[in-house]
Amino acid sequence: EGADAIKDADCGWSVPAEQPERLADLLRKLSNLSKSELGRKGENGKSYSQKYYDFKSCIDHLEQILGAK
């Protein structure tokens, strides 16, 4: 699930879709964060996606699952 990946990567925040009040609270909180904190989250997301979602990593993982390597 997307929320799990966000948590694992420490790259952002999520709220359940059916809880708009929590989203509003989160947006107020985020508006007070420093640019460096937001940048750190962005870098974490970039690193995580390169590690787990780039084509070569996906193929390598699939090969491991299938026992090709």
Side-chain angles (χ1 to χ4, degrees):
E1 181 174 312
D4 293 333
I6 291 168
K7 182 178 178 182
D8 291 344
D10 188 26
C11 67
W13 302 264
S14 66
V15 295
E18 66 278 357
Q19 296 186 10
E21 300 84 15
R22 283 186 57 191
L23 177 59
D25 290 342
L26 177 60
L27 291 173
R28 281 190 283 277
K29 175 185 166 188
L30 296 179
S31 71
N32 293 316
L33 290 179
S34 68
K35 287 183 181 182
S36 64
E37 174 67 9
L38 294 172
R40 186 181 69 77
K41 294 286 187 177
E43 288 298 320
N44 289 350
K46 181 179 178 181
S47 296
Y48 187 88
S49 68
Q50 288 173 335
K51 182 175 181 179
Y52 294 104
Y53 296 114
D54 78 329
F55 185 75
K56 182 173 178 350
S57 294
C58 289
I59 295 300
D60 290 346
H61 183 68
L62 181 60
E63 287 176 341
Q64 286 178 342
I65 291 170
L66 297 175
K69 280 193 169 182

